[in-house]
Amino acid sequence: MVVLSGKEVANSKLEELKSKTQSFIEKYNRKPTLAVILVGEDPASQTYVASKKKACIKLGYGHKDYVLDKEVTQKELNSLVDALNEDNSVDGILVQMPLPKHLNEQEVIERIRSDKDVDGFHPINVGKLLIGLDCFVSCTPKGIMAILDYYHIETQSKNVVIIGRSNIVGKPMASLLIQKGRDATVTIAHSRTKNLKELTKSADILIAAIGRANFVTADMVKEDCVVIDVGINRVEDSSRKRGYRVVGDVDYQNVSAKVSAITPVPGGVGLMTIAMLMENTLESAIMHEEKDN
Ligand code: GUN
């Protein structure tokens, strides 16, 4: 059994980006810059935003951080996005999701200029991805592809089952895998899927993106399966100082004993998401410079 270390792949990617960033700064005399907007005080979102800032500092990127009150109006949030859209020193804009209920997430996603949409959530980028054009790709699916590439896991003619149909993971993951060159046969399962176990047992590659701790059990996978665990679930654990531990969507202990390869949690897909965000931001900066010159 191979442990697919997202940590190793992410570190290798970050080293590559660090050196490319130095060349960018020398060439264009400015830093690639990411603006991150956090609304409210959701603890998980605070953690994610802090990791993004840390990654920017580590790689030598510029970063602009905005923490808005949870009562902020749509109009105020839109105005901030508009200002960042206009700001030529900003290459990427990320609004941390989920937003408080009174705000319209889709409106915000569509307000961000598609050439600064380093999350790859804008309908223009989602549409381009589906038809195989160059675009910003959602960071988690892009990170999963990078893990598969790093470990030389072939996708051609493989049966891939994705559990979860979210716009952030499930749908873009399927779009990537069905493209020419990747050539996978993809099934997306979700909460209304019948006979889920039958389906998952047919998977050569199983991607779990459900958001439920330990949902995928050993009886649901076949023996030589490659398992990608996208879950980041906090479960109570009084033995930990912070009162919880983080587990994936897969029952790691029992599933890892059966399959041929698996991503751990933590240390798997989550770290790749940030590395890919950094890659998208640098690509955006290069694109902006090349367009202007
Ligand atoms: N919330 C959970 N994942 C993500 C992500 O990749 N981007 C943003 N903006 N919000 C998220």
Side-chain angles (χ1 to χ4, degrees), residues 10-260:
N11 283 340
S12 139
K13 176 56 76 180
L14 292 174
E15 279 309 310
E16 174 197 323
L17 290 176
K18 204 169 172 179
S19 122
K20 284 185 176 167
T21 302
Q22 286 316 308
S23 312
F24 178 90
I25 294 170
E26 278 164 31
K27 188 165 175 190
Y28 297 112
N29 211 20
R30 74 172 185 91
K31 297 173 175 183
T33 296
L34 176 66
V36 176
I37 303 172
L38 170 64
V39 182
E41 291 153 11
D42 177 66
S45 292
Q46 284 173 334
T47 311
Y48 297 144
V49 165
S51 321
K52 287 162 189 172
K53 182 176 172 180
K54 214 166 111 187
C56 282
I57 294 168
K58 195 169 159 190
L59 294 186
Y61 288 21
H63 58 92
K64 295 188 171 206
D65 302 299
Y66 301 87
V67 180
L68 307 182
D69 190 274
K70 63 178 187 302
E71 307 290 343
V72 71
T73 63
Q74 184 86 40
K75 205 169 161 207
E76 287 165 325
L77 179 56
N78 287 350
S79 301
L80 175 56
V81 170
D82 290 346
L84 294 169
N85 278 337
E86 290 303 310
D87 183 343
N88 287 335
S89 72
V90 171
D91 299 295
I93 304 170
L94 181 147
V95 179
Q96 186 64 37
M97 306 292 176
L99 291 173
K101 291 272 179 291
H102 69 283
L103 297 170
N104 183 333
E105 289 184 352
Q106 195 58 28
E107 186 176 328
V108 176
I109 287 169
E110 293 184 29
R111 194 114 185 162
I112 295 170
R113 241 169 58 184
S114 64
D115 66 296
K116 295 193 177 191
D117 168 40
V118 286
D119 260 330
F121 293 172
H122 192 287
I124 287 185
N125 286 315
V126 177
K128 283 184 170 178
L129 174 63
L130 190 61
I131 61 174
L133 300 178
D134 231 12
C135 63
F136 288 123
V137 176
S138 180
C139 301
T140 301
K142 187 174 173 169
I144 293 170
M145 295 310 295
I147 292 177
L148 296 177
D149 288 342
Y150 186 91
Y151 287 96
H152 305 292
I153 294 166
E154 185 55 69
T155 55
Q156 187 178 52
S157 307
K158 295 289 165 68
N159 286 330
V160 181
V161 175
I162 302 166
I163 318 179
R165 57 177 154 187
S166 70
N167 292 342
I168 297 186
V169 182
K171 289 176 193 167
M173 192 73 242
S175 297
L176 283 168
L177 286 162
I178 58 171
Q179 296 302 319
K180 273 215 159 68
R182 295 297 186 178
D183 304 322
T185 302
V186 180
T187 308
I188 302 187
H190 47 76
S191 53
R192 300 291 168 101
T193 297
K194 273 197 232 166
N195 304 328
L196 179 64
K197 186 167 145 184
E198 227 167 75
L199 210 57
T200 56
K201 281 199 90 134
S202 75
D204 301 309
I205 301 173
L206 179 65
I207 301 175
I210 314 126
R212 280 171 62 182
N214 303 320
F215 180 88
V216 175
T217 46
D219 58 320
M220 293 169 72
V221 295
K222 67 172 174 162
E223 273 182 5
D224 58 349
C225 186
V226 172
V227 178
I228 306 290
D229 189 350
V230 183
I232 302 178
N233 307 294
R234 291 183 178 194
V235 297
E236 252 181 64
D237 186 344
S238 54
S239 73
R240 303 287 174 101
K241 212 161 113 191
R242 56 188 182 181
Y244 68 89
R245 74 195 143 87
V246 173
V247 301
D249 290 349
V250 177
D251 171 9
Y252 186 85
Q253 200 181 355
N254 294 311
V255 172
S256 64
K258 188 172 178 185
V259 298
S260 67

